[in-house]
Amino acid sequence: MEGFSWGNYINSNSFLAAPVTCFKHAPMGTCWGDISEHVRVEVPNTDCSLPTKVFWIAGIIKLAGYNALLRYEGFENDSGLDFWCNICGSDIHPVGWCAASGKPLVPPRTIQHKYTNWKAFLVKRLTGAKTLPPDFSQKVSESMQYPFKPCMRVEVVDKRHLCRTRVAVVESVIGGRLRLVYEESEDRTDDFWCHMHSPLIHHIGWSRSIGHRFKRSDITKKQDGHFDTPPHLFAKVKEVDQSGEWFKERMKLEAIDPLNLSTICVATIRKVLADGYLMIGIDGSEAADGSDWFCYHATSPSIFPVGFCEINMIELTPPRGYTKLPFKWFDYLRESGSIAAPVKLFNKDVPNHGFRVGMKLEAVDLMEPRLICVATVTRIIHRLLRIHFDGWEEEYDQWVDCESPDLYPVGWCQLTGYQLQPPASQSSRESQSASSKQKKKAKSQQYKGHKKKRKMPVGKKPVSLSSLPMTGGVRRSFSGDEELTPPYRALPAQTAPEAFPPPSTSREFRPSLKTGNESPGTAGTAQGPCWAGWRAQGALCCDRCRLILFLLLLFLNSFSLGLGSHFTETGHQGSS
């Protein structure tokens, strides 16, 4: 599909795009202000026969991300010359810019005859109207300055063995996305792409400090010009207190599968690292040496307490080879002799993200991370978004957090010069589906994505790639260059907690049977997490539950005694 146009795509289908304010990591995401419909701007006048570039005033008819549908002043209800443009483009200016810059304002030729006094017309039309802030273009420029620079060294997930990290060097920066080249790559083709806010990149020394596996480099000293990235440039994770009640090895939970992002799976905590990091394995798919574990922080929005999928009506993927279906957590915990991780340890924050079901956006295909595609939000569960790639089957959908740096407003690719992948045509879908169905999701030696691979248009290459969703692993054995970092900080011995207290504030996670774009933090009842934890772990979670059970047992005991007395008296009367 050559020449894909967001404007035509949205107009012909009456689509709604996610607003720029949903994407805090994107340019202008935090300073978009009140740019909305009816805002006036000065733009080039394309309906003119003059040899020089002239301008005219237009009003915003519709907003779609960075893109705006504009109509020249004077056309009233006539949409004949309406046009789409990127509001952050260099030719878009606030009203008054032409006067300050000495640029002529010339009405379009089509309507030039409508008025004899255009100056009076403009004064009347613009009185009380809104326009862009005077420093709008400066803010756009500043928001597209990125602190990461070429030649900076970082630790990043090893794309071939996701259970460990390697040293890589920043090769280029495009729109905040980094092209990282692994330090040992002689021809500089062994690269990895991710956003600068990705949880997959860290400062030099991070792996050693928390006890994460790390691949030793054959390069004994830094190459000329290369330098370590300052630690303060990396995304900060929330500090946690591991000294009290905390995650323990062998605790069960639910987690997004990093090798199949359309699924949430039964998972187990395999190792507790320092600073709140956890090594997690997918039940039924683990290697004996732990080579397919992946790393999440305890506050990650991609891990969930036991019962999350059931409560939110999401299909939970059971362990591979598990035959006792339908899967029941209570039975599985009993059979495996394990316990569920306490609900209160999971991330309960649900930001007011602004996404709604049906909104359009541009999203990284995390299974083919060099591609950014036309996509749609199809489901919202608290802060979790179901992303559908337009033109593809639902089996290729991906669960993504609402604050993921791999989601962008409509028009981001145009603004940054990145190639956007249009919706797949039916012919390309059928050809790729036929080949992909022959390859079931397998844990291969290199992260190449699950099931599908998107084909690039002939003769075109993407400008940049993207990050993976999380660190993980798919290797069956370690090579000689694997370094096992020193033991992580010892944590005090703990006993598995029984308590699953309900959330104490409206901002905390509340399981709900509702789905869709319900208001965050309002669904469900305060008792939800309590009983969910009790069902899964077989333990009473609070004094209230214990009191209810005590009264219930007392009632049943009294009732049984009464029935026993009644049957005894009846039997005695019959015998006499």
Side-chain angles (χ1 to χ4, degrees):
M1 186 186 298
E2 292 293 332
F4 173 78
S5 167
W6 262 119
N8 294 337
Y9 191 57
I10 289 176
N11 273 349
S12 59
N13 298 279
S14 299
F15 289 140
L16 179 66
V20 174
T21 52
C22 290
F23 310 88
K24 305 303 182 186
H25 59 281
M28 302 297 292
T30 58
C31 53
W32 188 247
D34 57 354
I35 299 175
S36 58
E37 296 177 3
H38 309 303
V39 166
R40 306 302 207 284
V41 293
E42 293 180 353
V43 296
N45 178 5
T46 58
D47 184 27
C48 182
S49 57
L50 296 176
T52 59
K53 187 176 185 179
V54 296
F55 292 79
W56 189 240
I57 296 173
I60 298 178
I61 303 300
K62 185 175 184 178
L63 268 179
Y66 294 116
N67 293 347
L69 178 63
L70 300 180
R71 181 175 300 170
Y72 289 122
E73 284 294 335
F75 274 83
E76 308 300 339
N77 296 322
D78 182 1
S79 60
L81 285 185
D82 288 1
F83 61 99
W84 285 89
C85 70
N86 194 303
I87 206 72
C88 294
S90 59
D91 274 338
I92 311 298
H93 306 281
V95 172
W97 177 85
C98 283
S101 305
K103 302 293 183 181
L105 278 175
V106 179
R109 180 175 50 184
T110 304
I111 59 171
Q112 201 165 19
H113 65 280
K114 289 183 65 175
Y115 300 96
T116 56
N117 189 341
W118 280 101
K119 182 177 180 180
F121 168 81
L122 289 180
V123 169
K124 182 179 179 180
R125 289 286 295 174
L126 298 179
T127 300
K130 292 182 179 181
T131 188
L132 300 177
D135 59 348
F136 184 77
S137 60
Q138 180 182 347
K139 287 184 176 180
V140 171
S141 177
E142 291 174 352
S143 68
M144 297 183 68
Q145 301 299 315
Y146 308 104
F148 281 80
K149 306 298 179 184
C151 298
M152 284 184 171
R153 300 172 75 240
V154 301
E155 286 187 9
V156 63
V157 63
D158 186 340
K159 68 180 182 181
R160 292 183 176 82
H161 309 297
L162 302 184
C163 61
R164 68 185 186 186
T165 57
R166 295 174 62 183
V167 173
V169 179
V170 177
E171 178 74 11
S172 59
V173 183
I174 302 175
R177 302 190 66 80
L178 312 178
R179 178 177 182 259
L180 303 172
V181 176
Y182 290 113
E183 199 168 49
E184 296 170 291
S185 176
E186 295 182 358
D187 58 1
R188 310 194 68 77
T189 59
D190 189 9
D191 60 4
F192 181 83
W193 288 81
C194 67
H195 192 273
M196 64 181 184
H197 293 156
S198 170
L200 302 179
I201 59 172
H202 308 275
H203 62 85
I204 298 297
W206 174 83
S207 297
R208 180 177 293 273
S209 68
I210 71 160
H212 195 283
R213 286 171 175 155
F214 176 76
K215 180 183 182 296
R216 292 194 304 267
S217 174
D218 293 337
I219 300 177
T220 57
K221 66 177 183 178
K222 300 177 189 176
Q223 297 182 19
D224 292 340
H226 293 177
F227 58 101
D228 295 351
T229 306
H232 71 272
L233 296 185
F234 296 89
K236 301 295 187 296
V237 294
K238 184 178 179 180
E239 292 186 4
V240 295
D241 181 12
Q242 297 182 230
S243 61
E245 188 177 33
W246 192 242
F247 292 100
K248 294 184 64 178
E249 293 182 11
R250 301 191 70 248
M251 280 184 172
K252 299 294 182 181
L253 70 163
E254 298 174 6
I256 296 177
D257 184 352
L259 297 177
N260 189 349
L261 292 165
S262 65
T263 63
I264 300 178
C265 303
V266 175
T268 302
I269 296 173
R270 290 304 179 187
K271 193 174 184 181
V272 179
L273 307 180
D275 295 342
Y277 288 94
L278 309 171
M279 296 303 295
I280 296 173
I282 299 296
D283 285 23
S285 305
E286 296 181 69
D289 58 4
S291 58
D292 50 5
W293 297 348
F294 50 93
C295 183
Y296 274 131
H297 193 263
T299 60
S300 169
S302 297
I303 57 175
F304 316 97
V306 161
F308 174 84
C309 285
E310 178 184 0
I311 291 168
N312 291 287
M313 301 179 68
I314 301 173
E315 182 180 358
L316 177 67
T317 302
R320 183 179 299 176
Y322 188 77
T323 58
K324 192 175 180 180
L325 302 176
F327 178 85
K328 298 294 182 183
W329 265 115
F330 183 83
D331 295 337
Y332 185 69
L333 291 173
R334 184 184 58 201
E335 293 166 1
S336 60
S338 53
I339 61 173
V343 173
K344 69 178 183 179
L345 297 182
F346 291 85
N347 185 359
K348 307 173 185 65
D349 296 333
V350 181
N352 185 18
H353 48 68
F355 286 103
R356 298 291 180 267
V357 170
M359 282 183 170
K360 296 293 179 181
L361 69 164
E362 298 176 4
V364 176
D365 178 0
L366 293 167
M367 307 309 293
E368 279 291 338
R370 72 183 185 277
L371 307 177
I372 295 183
C373 311
V374 173
T376 307
V377 177
T378 58
R379 193 174 178 191
I380 302 174
I381 306 294
H382 305 294
R383 64 180 300 147
L384 193 63
L385 309 180
R386 182 81 171 180
I387 301 299
H388 173 74
F389 296 103
D390 290 20
W392 293 89
E393 290 81 5
E394 291 183 2
E395 63 180 309
Y396 305 129
D397 290 0
Q398 297 175 2
W399 289 109
V400 181
D401 182 62
C402 65
E403 295 183 340
S404 168
D406 297 304
L407 303 178
Y408 302 98
V410 166
W412 182 88
C413 283
Q414 179 187 2
L415 179 64
T416 61
Y418 205 112
Q419 181 181 334
L420 176 68
Q421 300 302 306
S425 62
Q426 184 176 356
S427 58
S428 64
R429 275 203 316 271
E430 291 175 351
S431 63
Q432 296 198 33
S433 295
S435 60
S436 66
K437 287 179 180 178
Q438 299 175 2
K439 299 179 181 180
K440 299 295 182 181
K441 180 212 151 190
K443 300 203 169 185
S444 60
Q445 290 297 101
Q446 181 175 352
Y447 191 117
K448 295 183 178 179
H450 76 295
K451 298 181 179 176
K452 83 173 179 300
K453 294 187 69 175
R454 301 181 189 275
K455 293 183 179 178
M456 296 302 302
V458 177
K460 290 189 177 182
K461 295 183 69 177
V463 178
S464 68
L465 306 180
S466 150
S467 73
L468 303 177
M470 61 200 79
T471 51
V474 295
R475 194 160 59 94
R476 294 307 179 193
S477 62
F478 296 119
S479 58
D481 58 2
E482 176 86 17
E483 177 182 347
L484 297 179
T485 53
Y488 48 90
R489 294 199 297 267
L491 301 177
Q494 305 172 24
T495 57
E498 292 185 352
F500 284 71
S504 58
T505 69
S506 61
R507 300 301 298 165
E508 294 185 353
F509 163 72
R510 291 184 175 188
S512 168
L513 290 177
K514 296 181 180 180
T515 59
N517 58 340
E518 55 195 90
S519 300
T522 61
T525 63
Q527 196 69 8
C530 173
W531 291 113
W534 172 74
R535 289 200 313 270
Q537 189 160 317
L540 295 176
C541 51
C542 62
D543 293 337
R544 179 172 55 182
C545 295
R546 295 187 179 93
L547 178 60
I548 292 173
L549 184 60
F550 173 76
L551 293 175
L552 180 62
L553 293 175
L554 185 62
F555 170 77
L556 292 176
N557 186 51
S558 301
F559 181 72
S560 61
L561 289 176
L563 287 179
S565 174
H566 171 73
F567 288 139
T568 303
E569 292 175 2
T570 303
H572 177 70
Q573 292 173 1
S575 60
S576 61

